[in-house]
Structure formats: structure tokens, C-alpha cells
Amino acid sequence: LLLRRHPIRPPRRSFGLPRPLLQSRLFADWRRGCLIRPETTFWRNLPRRFQVALYMNTDFSARLVRWQKQHGRHGLPWQVRDPYAVWLSEIMLQQTQVATVLEYYPRFLAAFPNVAALAAADEDEVLALWAGLGYYSRARNLHHAARQIMDEHGGQFPRDRAGLETLKGVGRSTAAAIAVFAYGQKEAIL
């Protein structure tokens, strides 16, 4: 199987693999997206450096998603498709541990259940509920951005990363997180 030729041209990038492997049907299948199972004789007979080269070039995102489903945190109150809830959690979680945010998040959401309530609130109310989380500029930016959403976007969150980045206090990573978790878009979260 290893030396069997396949009628496709060898890839331009060799991944440091020997020519017979590059010309094998198994490698061609791998290039088309089929995974090579580690329990196969082919895999066990491959030198370790070739196993690593093949493994590192498989679908990384699929492996990461599988890992998160098995080992990641589940049941957090902000793991919903609501852009307001995701945005609020992303801002609170900046420079703050999850355990701390779990105490503040429900109280903040009870006081300001949506972006309209947050925008209508007095800044002192927002800062009072934020007390203890630190980095108070995050709370001021949150309040300002809520008003931006109401005034400039008709009370609706922008649906793409670029639009979300226009909100005060929302950078590229936070905007990408909101776009991914609330709207299911494909963005890189740093």
C-alpha cells in the first residue's frame, strides 16, 4: 500500500515526506480530506516525524471542536445565541476570571436585561453594579456602546465583525467572538 502509485501529480509541498508516500493512494485520500486512522498498520509503520507531519496538517478546527465538546466548559449562562449576552460576557471576562464573572453576570443581567435597558440607565447605576470587577473603563465603554447601538444601529447589534468593531470598547477579538457565538459566523478569535 505504501509504494502503490496513484495517478495524481505529487503535491507541490512535500511536508517532508518521502516520495513513495507522496505518490500513495492513502496520501492522496488525505489530501482530499479523508483522515488516516491511527489504528491502521500503515500509520503504525510510519516513522514518528511523518506521523506528526500528517497529523498536524489534518483538519485542526475539527479536532479543536471535538476537544471543546469533551473537555471544555459547558452550561455557562452566556453560552447562548444572544448578542447582548455574549457581548456582556466578553467585556466582563477581559482581565477577569470566570468564577468572578459568574457572580456578577446574573446581577448585571437582572438589572439590565437588554441593550435598551443598559442604554437608558444612568452611568452611576452601571458603575455601581460593576463595582468589584475592576477596570471601570470597561463599564463606561459598555454603557457608551449600548447607547451607540440604540442611536446608530436602531437597537440592533451589527451582525458582522467589522460592524461590531465600531462599538466603543470592542476590539477585533471581542467583535469576532460576538460574530461567532451569536451569529455563527466564521472568524478568528484571538
Side-chain angles (χ1 to χ4, degrees):
L1 179 66
L2 181 62
L3 297 175
R4 183 175 177 191
R5 292 198 176 265
H6 189 268
I8 66 162
R9 294 173 57 181
R12 290 189 179 125
R13 201 166 138 217
S14 69
F15 305 106
L17 300 171
R19 187 170 195 74
L21 176 59
L22 294 175
Q23 295 170 341
S24 72
R25 174 180 280 286
L26 198 58
F27 186 77
D29 290 343
W30 172 79
R31 292 279 295 172
R32 284 195 306 273
C34 301
L35 297 178
I36 301 171
R37 292 181 305 210
E39 64 271 10
T40 61
T41 307
F42 172 81
W43 183 266
R44 285 194 303 269
N45 291 337
L46 268 179
R48 177 79 177 134
R49 67 188 174 110
F50 299 143
Q51 289 178 358
V52 170
L54 287 171
Y55 187 74
M56 293 307 290
N57 288 290
T58 57
D59 188 5
F60 176 74
S61 61
R63 288 186 287 129
L64 187 61
V65 167
R66 275 195 309 273
W67 180 90
Q68 197 283 331
K69 283 180 180 177
Q70 184 177 359
H71 303 290
R73 294 180 187 215
H74 303 285
L76 296 172
W78 50 81
Q79 290 177 330
V80 293
R81 291 271 185 199
D82 176 19
Y84 176 69
V86 174
W87 170 57
L88 180 60
S89 70
E90 286 294 320
I91 301 301
M92 284 186 164
L93 287 164
Q94 293 171 1
Q95 304 292 316
T96 309
Q97 293 181 356
V98 171
T100 305
V101 173
L102 282 170
E103 297 172 23
Y104 285 84
Y105 183 83
R107 287 191 302 234
F108 202 92
L109 207 53
F112 311 114
N114 54 45
V115 72
L118 179 58
D122 185 51
E123 188 175 284
D124 292 334
E125 289 179 71
V126 176
L127 291 172
L129 276 172
W130 197 271
L133 278 174
Y135 301 99
Y136 291 91
S137 63
R138 292 183 296 167
R140 286 187 201 91
N141 289 340
L142 191 74
H143 188 244
H144 185 273
R147 289 187 173 168
Q148 254 185 297
I149 292 167
M150 295 307 293
D151 297 341
E152 299 171 16
H153 300 284
Q156 299 295 314
F157 273 82
R159 297 187 65 86
D160 63 334
R161 181 184 53 81
L164 290 161
E165 281 184 54
T166 64
L167 302 175
K168 186 162 177 91
V170 176
R172 182 181 175 138
S173 183
T174 301
I178 297 166
V180 168
F181 298 131
Y183 301 118
Q185 295 182 6
K186 292 186 178 185
E187 293 287 346
I189 302 172
L190 308 173

